[in-house]
Amino acid sequence: MSAAVAAVAAMVAGAALTGCSSGGSGSGHGKSSGHAKDKDVEFSGTYVPGTDGKGLDKVTPGARPTSPSSGRLVGAAGSPCRLPVTFALAAQWKAKAVKPVDADDPLAELSTQGETRLACEIDAKPAGHIGFLRVWTAPATAGGGDARKVLKGWLAAPVVGDVRKPTYRDITVGGKAGLPAVEVVYESYSKLLDETKQEHAVALKTSRGITVLHLGGLDGEEHEGMLPAYELAKNTMAS
């Protein structure tokens, strides 16, 4: 982690709903703010972090590593968060439900993105990282029942900030269960840190609703370190 990042780590980690927006706010690094035009790609293979020398993903064959499981499921009855899907919780990560807030609450704009509402935060700090896996949910009818439309609306929300190079791909999650889903990999510019970092999100529809799982992180190094927990969640998803 850079010295500049370390200097602001404590401040960022302690903020309420830190990083609910997927990227930093502001006008961008010498560029006007806004959302870059997205693109759809088709390929066989997976993203592997850090292989291009810039800490960004590159498409290569094979699977990304996953974190060890805690042996507990997020989303199931009796878990901290009831969700439309379940998935394995990475070891030492801590899940906490996010209570709905009133529309006139100052935090309301941070707990909604597009048609989704923030339902669960999974904190990486007990595992030694600064960041969260966040789960956003919407009714099964959102986006006309299309998870891709919901994901695009989620990413286009004004609170997200300066998004660049979003790339969408159709995937399957849940291992052998093979649940259809759509994933987006994109870059977000943080004015606070004056740097660009990569983020991931995946969306899928089940009979109980549409779920968006997002991985951000304080910076690119933290994001890369938390990717195995994100992959574990993807690989173990069940409806």
Side-chain angles (χ1 to χ4, degrees):
M1 187 182 298
S2 67
V5 170
V8 299
M11 175 183 68
V12 176
L17 286 177
T18 299
C20 274
S21 60
S22 301
S25 61
S27 59
H29 187 36
K31 298 181 182 180
S32 61
S33 62
H35 293 77
K37 184 178 180 181
D38 56 33
K39 62 180 180 179
D40 296 288
V41 295
E42 293 183 3
F43 58 86
S44 58
T46 58
Y47 289 105
V48 176
T51 53
D52 66 350
K54 300 179 182 178
L56 301 180
D57 283 349
K58 199 170 185 180
V59 178
T60 61
R64 285 189 299 216
T66 61
S67 291
S69 173
S70 65
R72 293 175 290 165
L73 290 178
V74 178
S79 74
C81 308
R82 289 297 305 271
L83 303 169
V85 297
T86 63
F87 54 84
L89 177 67
Q92 298 183 292
W93 287 57
K94 185 176 181 180
K96 181 180 179 180
V98 177
K99 296 180 179 179
V101 297
D102 296 332
D104 58 353
D105 189 295
L107 294 178
E109 68 175 10
L110 297 179
S111 61
T112 57
Q113 282 186 213
E115 296 182 77
T116 69
R117 180 187 68 80
L118 182 59
C120 187
E121 287 187 326
I122 307 171
D123 191 355
K125 285 194 292 296
H129 296 287
I130 301 174
F132 293 85
L133 273 171
R134 288 191 166 95
V135 187
W136 305 73
T137 61
T141 55
D146 187 336
R148 180 182 287 261
K149 288 183 180 178
V150 171
L151 182 59
K152 287 188 174 183
W154 176 88
L155 191 59
V159 70
V160 174
D162 190 349
V163 172
R164 304 174 182 181
K165 302 179 182 177
T167 300
Y168 293 81
R169 64 177 186 140
D170 292 318
I171 63 171
T172 56
V173 297
K176 293 181 179 180
L179 300 174
V182 58
E183 183 175 47
V184 62
V185 181
Y186 61 97
E187 297 174 16
S188 63
Y189 172 73
S190 169
K191 188 176 182 179
L192 175 64
L193 301 177
D194 190 26
E195 67 181 31
T196 299
K197 64 186 175 97
Q198 191 173 75
E199 303 195 26
H200 288 70
V202 62
L204 70 158
K205 177 188 175 183
T206 68
S207 60
R208 296 172 56 194
I210 293 176
T211 302
V212 176
L213 175 69
H214 167 245
L215 176 66
L218 178 65
D219 58 16
E221 181 180 345
E222 290 291 344
H223 180 83
E224 184 171 333
M226 294 186 294
L227 272 172
Y230 170 81
E231 289 298 319
L232 174 68
K234 278 173 47 182
N235 291 347
T236 55
M237 278 188 175
S239 59

